[in-house]
Amino acid sequence: DWNLLAGTAWFGPNFATVLGLDEKALGATFASFRERVHPEDRTLLLQAIRLHVEQCRPFDVEVRIRTGGEHWRAFRLRGSAVRDGAGRPVQMSGRLEDIEDRRHAEQRVRRAEDFLRRTLDGLTAAVGVLNAAGEIVEINRAWREYGSDRALIGLRYGFGERYARLCRAAAERCPAGPAAADGVEQVLRGERDAFSLANAAPLDGRERRPQLGVQAFDVDGARGVIVVHDDVTALHEAEA
């Protein structure tokens, strides 16, 4: 608790324990606590306090704090001000949560997602991932950069769009669209685990043969699908 009028502060045993400190080590003023906040995060902390006190914005901020072991760890500070009858803030109370492990976990997830994205972008096949609602949640470079408007890939089929609906609406440009939509929806519903479809689309003055493949795929714990358009033109011409 921080008495805004007197400038004194009291830090409870749980607050000190989270930091690996004795209660007395925190001192009896807000200034003594602020000194334990990482120099690069102090402005962020003071700004969050000011916005809460002056504009009643929620006080919820993440900062690095020096612990009893003299290590920097990430913490989340949340709290609220107590105001007098005139609405003036007279005291602030808050709590502290150690989020260091959560931050490390988030960083690992971001690195894994970045690795997956770079891996997908390195493929020559056009790849898209649909969630359980059939919405596009990931596409690779080959998908984004495909130039033919008669194919079922390209920027027409972007993030957040329902892929099957777009395929069905593309019937005039791409006759294979409705069949592709049916196959995607069947895999999403669990009626089949995979689906494939041959297609043809002109590109750069040449008839291309993108082979559509749809496979059931776990997306955030729910059934989604991965959609692959693989150019099998060379194989088709060799067989002709």
Side-chain angles (χ1 to χ4, degrees), residues 131-202:
N131 63 16
E135 298 166 337
I136 300 171
V137 295
E138 188 63 73
I139 55 178
N140 71 343
R141 180 180 292 113
W143 182 296
R144 295 190 299 270
E145 296 180 352
Y146 199 81
S148 174
D149 65 356
R150 287 183 57 190
L152 297 172
I153 48 180
L155 290 179
R156 291 175 181 268
Y157 307 86
F159 293 103
E161 299 284 359
R162 291 182 181 268
Y163 184 64
R165 184 169 61 191
L166 293 181
C167 289
R168 192 165 279 113
E172 187 173 338
R173 289 184 293 103
C174 181
D182 290 341
V184 168
E185 290 173 342
Q186 290 167 5
V187 176
L188 280 170
R189 290 194 298 263
E191 296 173 6
R192 58 198 306 175
D193 290 328
F195 169 80
S196 63
L197 177 69
N199 190 17

Coordinates of all heavy atoms in Angstrom, one line a residue, residues 131-202:
N131 N -8.5 -22.9 -40.0 CA -8.9 -23.3 -38.6 C -10.2 -24.1 -38.7 O -10.7 -24.4 -39.8 CB -9.0 -22.1 -37.7 CG -10.0 -21.1 -38.2 OD1 -10.9 -21.4 -39.0 ND2 -10.0 -19.9 -37.6
A132 N -10.7 -24.4 -37.5 CA -11.9 -25.2 -37.5 C -13.1 -24.6 -38.2 O -14.1 -25.2 -38.6 CB -12.3 -25.5 -36.0
A133 N -13.1 -23.2 -38.3 CA -14.2 -22.5 -38.9 C -14.0 -22.4 -40.4 O -14.8 -21.9 -41.1 CB -14.4 -21.1 -38.3
G134 N -12.9 -23.0 -40.9 CA -12.6 -22.9 -42.3 C -11.9 -21.6 -42.7 O -11.8 -21.3 -43.9
E135 N -11.5 -20.8 -41.8 CA -10.9 -19.5 -42.1 C -9.4 -19.7 -42.3 O -8.7 -20.5 -41.6 CB -11.1 -18.5 -40.9 CG -12.6 -18.2 -40.7 CD -12.8 -17.6 -39.3 OE1 -12.0 -17.7 -38.4 OE2 -13.9 -16.9 -39.2
I136 N -8.8 -18.9 -43.2 CA -7.4 -19.0 -43.5 C -6.6 -18.3 -42.4 O -6.8 -17.1 -42.1 CB -7.1 -18.3 -44.8 CG1 -7.9 -19.0 -46.0 CG2 -5.6 -18.3 -45.1 CD1 -7.8 -18.2 -47.3
V137 N -5.7 -19.0 -41.7 CA -5.0 -18.5 -40.6 C -3.5 -18.4 -40.9 O -2.7 -17.8 -40.2 CB -5.2 -19.3 -39.3 CG1 -6.6 -19.2 -38.8 CG2 -4.8 -20.8 -39.5
E138 N -3.1 -19.0 -42.0 CA -1.6 -19.0 -42.4 C -1.5 -19.3 -43.9 O -2.2 -20.2 -44.4 CB -0.8 -20.0 -41.6 CG 0.7 -19.8 -41.8 CD 1.2 -18.5 -41.4 OE1 1.3 -18.3 -40.1 OE2 1.5 -17.7 -42.2
I139 N -0.7 -18.5 -44.6 CA -0.4 -18.8 -46.0 C 1.1 -18.6 -46.2 O 1.7 -17.7 -45.5 CB -1.2 -18.0 -47.0 CG1 -1.1 -16.5 -46.7 CG2 -2.7 -18.4 -47.0 CD1 -1.8 -15.6 -47.7
N140 N 1.7 -19.3 -47.2 CA 3.1 -19.1 -47.4 C 3.3 -18.2 -48.6 O 2.4 -17.7 -49.3 CB 3.8 -20.4 -47.5 CG 3.5 -21.1 -48.8 OD1 2.5 -20.8 -49.5 ND2 4.3 -22.1 -49.2
R141 N 4.6 -17.9 -48.9 CA 5.0 -17.0 -50.0 C 4.5 -17.5 -51.3 O 3.9 -16.6 -52.1 CB 6.5 -16.8 -50.0 CG 6.9 -15.8 -51.1 CD 8.4 -15.6 -51.2 NE 8.9 -14.9 -50.0 CZ 9.7 -15.4 -49.1 NH1 10.1 -16.7 -49.2 NH2 10.1 -14.7 -48.0
A142 N 4.6 -18.7 -51.6 CA 4.1 -19.3 -52.9 C 2.6 -19.1 -53.1 O 2.2 -18.8 -54.2 CB 4.5 -20.8 -53.0
W143 N 1.9 -19.2 -52.0 CA 0.4 -18.9 -52.1 C 0.2 -17.4 -52.3 O -0.6 -17.1 -53.2 CB -0.2 -19.3 -50.7 CG -1.7 -19.2 -50.6 CD1 -2.4 -18.0 -50.7 CD2 -2.6 -20.2 -50.4 NE1 -3.7 -18.3 -50.5 CE2 -3.9 -19.6 -50.3 CE3 -2.5 -21.6 -50.2 CZ2 -5.1 -20.3 -50.1 CZ3 -3.7 -22.3 -50.0 CH2 -4.9 -21.7 -49.9
R144 N 0.8 -16.6 -51.6 CA 0.6 -15.1 -51.7 C 1.0 -14.6 -53.1 O 0.3 -13.7 -53.7 CB 1.4 -14.3 -50.7 CG 1.0 -14.6 -49.3 CD 1.7 -13.6 -48.3 NE 3.1 -13.7 -48.4 CZ 3.8 -14.5 -47.6 NH1 3.2 -15.3 -46.7 NH2 5.2 -14.5 -47.7
E145 N 2.0 -15.2 -53.7 CA 2.6 -14.6 -54.9 C 2.1 -15.3 -56.2 O 2.6 -14.9 -57.3 CB 4.1 -14.6 -54.8 CG 4.7 -13.8 -53.7 CD 6.2 -13.8 -53.6 OE1 6.8 -14.6 -54.3 OE2 6.8 -13.0 -52.8
Y146 N 1.2 -16.3 -56.1 CA 0.8 -16.9 -57.3 C 0.0 -15.9 -58.2 O -0.9 -15.2 -57.7 CB -0.1 -18.1 -56.9 CG -0.3 -19.1 -58.1 CD1 0.7 -20.1 -58.3 CD2 -1.4 -19.1 -58.9 CE1 0.6 -21.0 -59.3 CE2 -1.5 -20.0 -60.0 CZ -0.5 -20.9 -60.2 OH -0.6 -21.8 -61.2
G147 N 0.3 -15.9 -59.5 CA -0.1 -14.8 -60.3 C -1.4 -15.0 -61.1 O -2.0 -14.1 -61.6
S148 N -1.9 -16.3 -61.2 CA -3.1 -16.5 -62.0 C -4.4 -16.3 -61.2 O -4.5 -16.8 -60.1 CB -3.0 -17.9 -62.6 OG -4.3 -18.2 -63.2
D149 N -5.3 -15.5 -61.8 CA -6.6 -15.3 -61.1 C -7.5 -16.5 -61.3 O -8.7 -16.5 -60.8 CB -7.2 -14.0 -61.5 CG -7.6 -13.9 -62.9 OD1 -7.3 -14.9 -63.7 OD2 -8.2 -12.9 -63.3
R150 N -7.1 -17.5 -62.1 CA -8.0 -18.7 -62.3 C -7.6 -19.8 -61.4 O -8.2 -20.9 -61.5 CB -7.9 -19.1 -63.8 CG -8.6 -18.1 -64.7 CD -8.5 -18.6 -66.1 NE -9.1 -20.0 -66.3 CZ -9.0 -20.7 -67.4 NH1 -8.3 -20.2 -68.4 NH2 -9.5 -21.9 -67.4
A151 N -6.6 -19.6 -60.5 CA -6.3 -20.6 -59.5 C -7.0 -20.3 -58.2 O -7.7 -19.3 -58.1 CB -4.8 -20.6 -59.3
L152 N -7.0 -21.3 -57.3 CA -7.6 -21.1 -56.0 C -6.7 -20.7 -54.9 O -6.8 -21.0 -53.8 CB -8.3 -22.4 -55.6 CG -9.4 -22.9 -56.6 CD1 -9.9 -24.3 -56.3 CD2 -10.6 -21.9 -56.6
I153 N -5.6 -19.9 -55.3 CA -4.7 -19.4 -54.4 C -4.3 -18.0 -54.9 O -4.8 -17.5 -55.9 CB -3.4 -20.2 -54.4 CG1 -2.9 -20.5 -55.8 CG2 -3.6 -21.5 -53.6 CD1 -1.6 -21.4 -55.8
G154 N -3.5 -17.3 -54.1 CA -3.2 -15.9 -54.4 C -3.8 -15.0 -53.3 O -4.4 -15.4 -52.4
L155 N -3.6 -13.7 -53.5 CA -4.1 -12.7 -52.5 C -5.6 -12.6 -52.4 O -6.1 -12.0 -51.4 CB -3.5 -11.3 -52.9 CG -1.9 -11.2 -52.7 CD1 -1.4 -9.8 -53.0 CD2 -1.6 -11.5 -51.2
R156 N -6.3 -13.1 -53.4 CA -7.8 -13.2 -53.2 C -8.2 -14.0 -52.0 O -9.2 -13.9 -51.5 CB -8.4 -13.8 -54.5 CG -8.4 -13.0 -55.7 CD -8.9 -13.8 -56.9 NE -8.9 -13.1 -58.1 CZ -9.9 -12.3 -58.6 NH1 -11.0 -12.2 -57.9 NH2 -9.8 -11.7 -59.8
Y157 N -7.3 -15.0 -51.7 CA -7.6 -15.9 -50.6 C -6.6 -15.6 -49.4 O -5.6 -16.3 -49.2 CB -7.3 -17.4 -51.1 CG -8.1 -17.6 -52.4 CD1 -7.6 -17.3 -53.7 CD2 -9.4 -18.2 -52.4 CE1 -8.3 -17.5 -54.8 CE2 -10.1 -18.4 -53.5 CZ -9.6 -18.1 -54.8 OH -10.3 -18.3 -55.9
G158 N -7.0 -14.6 -48.7 CA -6.1 -14.1 -47.6 C -6.6 -14.4 -46.2 O -7.6 -15.1 -46.0
F159 N -5.9 -13.9 -45.2 CA -6.1 -14.2 -43.8 C -7.5 -13.8 -43.4 O -8.1 -12.7 -43.8 CB -5.1 -13.4 -43.0 CG -3.7 -13.9 -43.1 CD1 -2.8 -13.1 -43.8 CD2 -3.3 -15.0 -42.5 CE1 -1.5 -13.6 -44.0 CE2 -2.0 -15.5 -42.6 CZ -1.1 -14.7 -43.4
G160 N -8.2 -14.7 -42.6 CA -9.5 -14.5 -42.1 C -10.6 -14.8 -43.0 O -11.8 -14.8 -42.6
E161 N -10.3 -15.1 -44.3 CA -11.4 -15.4 -45.2 C -11.8 -16.9 -45.1 O -10.9 -17.8 -44.8 CB -10.9 -15.2 -46.7 CG -10.6 -13.7 -46.9 CD -11.8 -12.9 -47.1 OE1 -12.9 -13.4 -47.0 OE2 -11.6 -11.7 -47.4
R162 N -13.0 -17.2 -45.3 CA -13.5 -18.6 -45.3 C -13.1 -19.2 -46.7 O -13.7 -18.8 -47.7 CB -15.0 -18.7 -45.0 CG -15.3 -18.4 -43.6 CD -16.8 -18.5 -43.3 NE -17.1 -18.2 -42.0 CZ -17.2 -19.0 -40.9 NH1 -16.9 -20.3 -41.1 NH2 -17.5 -18.6 -39.7
Y163 N -12.2 -20.1 -46.7 CA -11.6 -20.6 -48.0 C -12.7 -21.3 -48.9 O -12.7 -21.0 -50.1 CB -10.4 -21.5 -47.7 CG -9.7 -22.0 -48.9 CD1 -9.1 -21.1 -49.8 CD2 -9.7 -23.3 -49.3 CE1 -8.4 -21.5 -50.9 CE2 -9.1 -23.8 -50.4 CZ -8.4 -22.8 -51.2 OH -7.8 -23.3 -52.4
A164 N -13.5 -22.2 -48.3 CA -14.4 -22.9 -49.1 C -15.4 -22.0 -49.7 O -15.8 -22.2 -50.9 CB -15.2 -23.9 -48.2
R165 N -15.8 -20.9 -49.0 CA -16.8 -20.0 -49.6 C -16.2 -19.2 -50.8 O -16.8 -19.0 -51.8 CB -17.2 -19.0 -48.5 CG -18.3 -18.0 -49.0 CD -18.9 -17.2 -47.8 NE -17.8 -16.4 -47.1 CZ -18.0 -15.8 -45.9 NH1 -19.2 -16.0 -45.3 NH2 -17.1 -15.1 -45.4
L166 N -14.9 -18.9 -50.6 CA -14.2 -18.2 -51.8 C -14.1 -19.1 -53.0 O -14.2 -18.7 -54.1 CB -12.9 -17.7 -51.3 CG -12.8 -16.6 -50.3 CD1 -11.4 -16.2 -50.0 CD2 -13.6 -15.4 -50.8
C167 N -13.8 -20.4 -52.7 CA -13.6 -21.4 -53.8 C -15.0 -21.5 -54.5 O -15.0 -21.6 -55.8 CB -13.2 -22.7 -53.2 SG -11.5 -22.8 -52.7
R168 N -16.0 -21.6 -53.8 CA -17.4 -21.8 -54.4 C -17.7 -20.5 -55.2 O -18.3 -20.6 -56.3 CB -18.4 -22.1 -53.3 CG -19.7 -22.6 -53.8 CD -20.6 -23.2 -52.8 NE -20.2 -24.6 -52.5 CZ -19.6 -25.0 -51.3 NH1 -19.4 -24.1 -50.4 NH2 -19.3 -26.3 -51.2
A169 N -17.4 -19.4 -54.7 CA -17.7 -18.1 -55.4 C -16.8 -17.9 -56.7 O -17.2 -17.1 -57.5 CB -17.5 -16.9 -54.5
A170 N -15.7 -18.7 -56.8 CA -14.8 -18.6 -57.9 C -15.2 -19.5 -59.1 O -14.4 -19.6 -60.0 CB -13.4 -18.9 -57.4
A171 N -16.4 -20.0 -59.1 CA -16.8 -21.0 -60.1 C -16.6 -20.5 -61.5 O -16.2 -21.3 -62.4 CB -18.2 -21.5 -59.8
E172 N -16.9 -19.3 -61.7 CA -16.9 -18.7 -63.1 C -15.4 -18.6 -63.5 O -15.1 -18.9 -64.7 CB -17.5 -17.3 -63.1 CG -17.7 -16.8 -64.5 CD -18.5 -15.5 -64.6 OE1 -19.3 -15.3 -63.6 OE2 -18.3 -14.7 -65.5
R173 N -14.5 -18.2 -62.6 CA -13.1 -18.1 -63.0 C -12.4 -19.4 -63.0 O -11.5 -19.7 -63.8 CB -12.4 -17.1 -62.0 CG -12.8 -15.7 -62.1 CD -12.0 -14.8 -61.2 NE -12.3 -15.1 -59.8 CZ -11.5 -15.8 -59.0 NH1 -10.4 -16.3 -59.4 NH2 -11.9 -16.0 -57.7
C174 N -12.8 -20.3 -62.0 CA -12.1 -21.5 -61.8 C -13.2 -22.6 -61.7 O -13.7 -22.8 -60.6 CB -11.2 -21.5 -60.6 SG -10.3 -23.0 -60.3
P175 N -13.5 -23.4 -62.7 CA -14.5 -24.4 -62.6 C -14.3 -25.4 -61.5 O -15.3 -26.0 -61.1 CB -14.4 -25.1 -64.0 CG -13.8 -24.0 -64.9 CD -12.9 -23.3 -64.1
A176 N -13.1 -25.6 -61.1 CA -12.8 -26.6 -60.0 C -13.2 -26.1 -58.6 O -13.2 -26.8 -57.7 CB -11.3 -27.0 -60.0
G177 N -13.6 -24.8 -58.5 CA -13.8 -24.2 -57.3 C -14.9 -24.9 -56.4 O -14.6 -25.2 -55.2
P178 N -16.1 -25.1 -56.9 CA -17.1 -25.8 -56.1 C -16.7 -27.2 -55.6 O -17.0 -27.5 -54.4 CB -18.3 -25.9 -57.1 CG -18.1 -24.7 -58.0 CD -16.6 -24.7 -58.2
A179 N -16.0 -27.9 -56.4 CA -15.6 -29.3 -56.0 C -14.5 -29.1 -54.9 O -14.5 -29.9 -53.9 CB -15.0 -30.0 -57.2
A180 N -13.6 -28.2 -55.0 CA -12.6 -27.9 -54.0 C -13.3 -27.5 -52.7 O -12.9 -28.0 -51.6 CB -11.7 -26.8 -54.5
A181 N -14.3 -26.7 -52.8 CA -15.0 -26.2 -51.6 C -15.7 -27.4 -50.9 O -15.6 -27.6 -49.7 CB -16.1 -25.2 -52.0
D182 N -16.3 -28.3 -51.7 CA -16.9 -29.5 -51.1 C -15.9 -30.4 -50.4 O -16.2 -30.8 -49.2 CB -17.6 -30.3 -52.2 CG -18.9 -29.6 -52.7 OD1 -19.4 -28.7 -52.0 OD2 -19.3 -30.0 -53.8
G183 N -14.8 -30.6 -51.0 CA -13.7 -31.4 -50.4 C -13.2 -30.8 -49.1 O -13.0 -31.5 -48.1
V184 N -13.0 -29.5 -49.1 CA -12.5 -28.8 -47.9 C -13.5 -29.0 -46.7 O -13.1 -29.3 -45.6 CB -12.2 -27.3 -48.2 CG1 -12.0 -26.6 -46.9 CG2 -11.0 -27.2 -49.1
E185 N -14.7 -28.7 -47.0 CA -15.8 -28.8 -46.0 C -15.9 -30.2 -45.5 O -16.2 -30.5 -44.3 CB -17.1 -28.3 -46.6 CG -17.1 -26.8 -46.8 CD -18.3 -26.3 -47.5 OE1 -19.0 -27.1 -48.1 OE2 -18.5 -25.0 -47.4
Q186 N -15.8 -31.2 -46.3 CA -15.9 -32.6 -45.9 C -14.8 -33.0 -44.9 O -15.0 -33.7 -43.9 CB -15.9 -33.6 -47.1 CG -17.2 -33.5 -47.9 CD -17.0 -34.2 -49.3 OE1 -16.0 -34.8 -49.6 NE2 -18.0 -34.1 -50.1
V187 N -13.6 -32.5 -45.2 CA -12.4 -32.8 -44.3 C -12.6 -32.1 -43.0 O -12.4 -32.6 -41.9 CB -11.1 -32.4 -45.0 CG1 -10.0 -32.6 -44.0 CG2 -10.9 -33.2 -46.3
L188 N -13.1 -30.8 -43.1 CA -13.4 -30.1 -41.8 C -14.4 -30.7 -41.0 O -14.3 -30.7 -39.7 CB -13.8 -28.6 -42.2 CG -12.7 -27.6 -42.6 CD1 -13.3 -26.4 -43.1 CD2 -11.8 -27.3 -41.4
R189 N -15.4 -31.3 -41.6 CA -16.5 -31.9 -40.8 C -16.1 -33.3 -40.3 O -16.8 -33.9 -39.5 CB -17.8 -32.1 -41.7 CG -18.5 -30.7 -41.9 CD -19.9 -31.0 -42.5 NE -19.9 -31.7 -43.8 CZ -19.9 -31.1 -45.0 NH1 -20.0 -29.8 -45.0 NH2 -19.9 -31.8 -46.1
G190 N -15.0 -33.8 -40.8 CA -14.5 -35.1 -40.3 C -15.1 -36.3 -41.1 O -14.9 -37.4 -40.8
E191 N -15.7 -36.0 -42.3 CA -16.3 -37.0 -43.1 C -15.2 -37.7 -43.9 O -15.4 -38.9 -44.4 CB -17.3 -36.4 -44.1 CG -18.5 -35.8 -43.4 CD -19.4 -35.0 -44.3 OE1 -19.1 -35.0 -45.6 OE2 -20.3 -34.4 -43.8
R192 N -14.1 -37.1 -44.0 CA -12.9 -37.8 -44.7 C -11.7 -37.1 -44.1 O -11.7 -35.9 -43.6 CB -12.9 -37.6 -46.2 CG -13.0 -36.2 -46.7 CD -13.5 -36.1 -48.1 NE -12.7 -36.9 -49.0 CZ -13.0 -37.1 -50.3 NH1 -14.1 -36.5 -50.9 NH2 -12.3 -37.8 -51.1
D193 N -10.5 -37.7 -44.2 CA -9.3 -37.2 -43.6 C -8.5 -36.5 -44.7 O -7.6 -35.6 -44.3 CB -8.4 -38.3 -43.0 CG -9.0 -38.8 -41.7 OD1 -9.7 -38.1 -41.0 OD2 -8.9 -40.0 -41.4
A194 N -8.7 -36.7 -45.9 CA -7.9 -36.1 -47.0 C -8.8 -36.0 -48.2 O -9.8 -36.7 -48.4 CB -6.7 -36.9 -47.2
F195 N -8.3 -35.1 -49.1 CA -9.0 -34.9 -50.4 C -8.0 -34.3 -51.4 O -7.1 -33.6 -51.0 CB -10.2 -33.9 -50.2 CG -10.8 -33.3 -51.4 CD1 -11.7 -34.1 -52.1 CD2 -10.4 -32.1 -51.9 CE1 -12.3 -33.6 -53.3 CE2 -11.0 -31.6 -53.1 CZ -11.9 -32.4 -53.8
S196 N -8.2 -34.7 -52.6 CA -7.3 -34.2 -53.7 C -8.1 -33.9 -54.9 O -9.1 -34.5 -55.2 CB -6.1 -35.1 -54.0 OG -6.6 -36.4 -54.5
L197 N -7.6 -33.0 -55.7 CA -8.3 -32.5 -56.9 C -7.3 -32.0 -57.9 O -6.5 -31.1 -57.6 CB -9.3 -31.5 -56.5 CG -10.1 -30.9 -57.7 CD1 -11.1 -31.9 -58.3 CD2 -10.9 -29.7 -57.2
A198 N -7.4 -32.4 -59.2 CA -6.6 -31.8 -60.2 C -7.2 -30.6 -60.7 O -8.4 -30.4 -60.8 CB -6.4 -32.9 -61.4
N199 N -6.4 -29.6 -61.1 CA -6.9 -28.3 -61.6 C -6.0 -27.8 -62.7 O -4.9 -28.4 -62.9 CB -6.8 -27.3 -60.4 CG -7.6 -26.0 -60.8 OD1 -8.3 -26.0 -61.7 ND2 -7.3 -25.0 -60.0
A200 N -6.4 -26.8 -63.4 CA -5.7 -26.2 -64.5 C -5.8 -24.7 -64.5 O -6.9 -24.2 -64.3 CB -6.1 -26.8 -65.9
A201 N -4.7 -24.0 -64.6 CA -4.8 -22.6 -64.5 C -3.7 -22.0 -65.4 O -2.5 -22.3 -65.2 CB -4.6 -22.1 -63.1
P202 N -4.0 -21.1 -66.3 CA -2.9 -20.5 -67.1 C -2.1 -19.5 -66.3 O -2.6 -18.8 -65.5 CB -3.8 -19.8 -68.2 CG -5.1 -19.5 -67.6 CD -5.3 -20.6 -66.7

